Amino acid sequence: MSDYEKAIYNKGYTDGCHYGYSVGVAKPDYELKNTVEKRKKELYFLKQRIIGFFVVVFSIIASIMIDDCTFAVFTIPLGLWMVLGNTMLIANRYYFEVMEARRKHSL
């Protein structure tokens, strides 16, 4: 029994047309929504990791060229945080969608 079917069972839709509709019609939409959301999340963190990698590389190259690594003290940890962390650091459309959903959920 999948998580979706367990949720339906917990809501009490275990008999009649409600259960058949929920499993046969609503389930594909539910699974599609989850795969789309998962894909958006994966793309967001992929972009963040790529940008973090370039921040680190740019910081190293610039500090070698300028012979001053003052800014690298801040940018290298930021780039490493972007590459290795799971915190959302880049504010784009997906970020605001997630924050709006969290805000609505917490109310």
Side-chain angles (χ1 to χ4, degrees), residues 3 12 18-20 25 46 49 54 58 81 92 96 104-105:
D3 292 335
H18 292 291
Y19 184 74
V25 177
L46 178 66
R49 286 186 172 90
F54 283 115
F58 175 75
W81 187 19
N92 62 5
F96 290 117
K104 285 182 180 178
H105 183 69

Side-chain angles (χ1 to χ4, degrees), residues 59 63 66-77:
S59 300
S63 64
I66 298 173
D67 291 331
D68 182 25
C69 62
T70 308
F71 67 93
V73 171
F74 299 107
T75 56
I76 289 178

Side-chain angles (χ1 to χ4, degrees), residues 30-84:
Y30 176 80
E31 290 177 351
L32 179 64
K33 182 180 177 186
N34 281 345
T35 56
V36 168
E37 291 299 320
K38 185 177 180 182
R39 184 72 177 147
K40 284 182 181 180
K41 183 177 179 180
E42 289 173 352
L43 285 175
Y44 174 84
F45 282 108
L46 178 66
K47 289 177 188 176
Q48 179 173 305
R49 286 186 172 90
I50 290 171
I51 292 170
F53 173 76
F54 283 115
V55 166
V56 171
V57 170
F58 175 75
S59 300
I60 292 171
I61 292 172
S63 64
I64 291 171
M65 291 177 65
I66 298 173
D67 291 331
D68 182 25
C69 62
T70 308
F71 67 93
V73 171
F74 299 107
T75 56
I76 289 178
L78 175 66
L80 290 175
W81 187 19
M82 291 173 79
V83 171
L84 302 174

Side-chain angles (χ1 to χ4, degrees), residues 4-31:
Y4 181 75
E5 291 172 345
K6 288 178 186 176
I8 293 170
Y9 183 78
N10 290 334
K11 287 183 179 180
Y13 299 138
T14 56
D15 59 331
C17 63
H18 292 291
Y19 184 74
Y21 173 78
S22 297
V23 172
V25 177
K27 184 178 179 181
D29 294 337
Y30 176 80
E31 290 177 351

Side-chain angles (χ1 to χ4, degrees), residues 97-107:
E97 288 175 4
V98 169
M99 291 301 135
E100 182 68 20
R102 286 182 186 173
R103 187 187 65 79
K104 285 182 180 178
H105 183 69
S106 66
L107 294 178

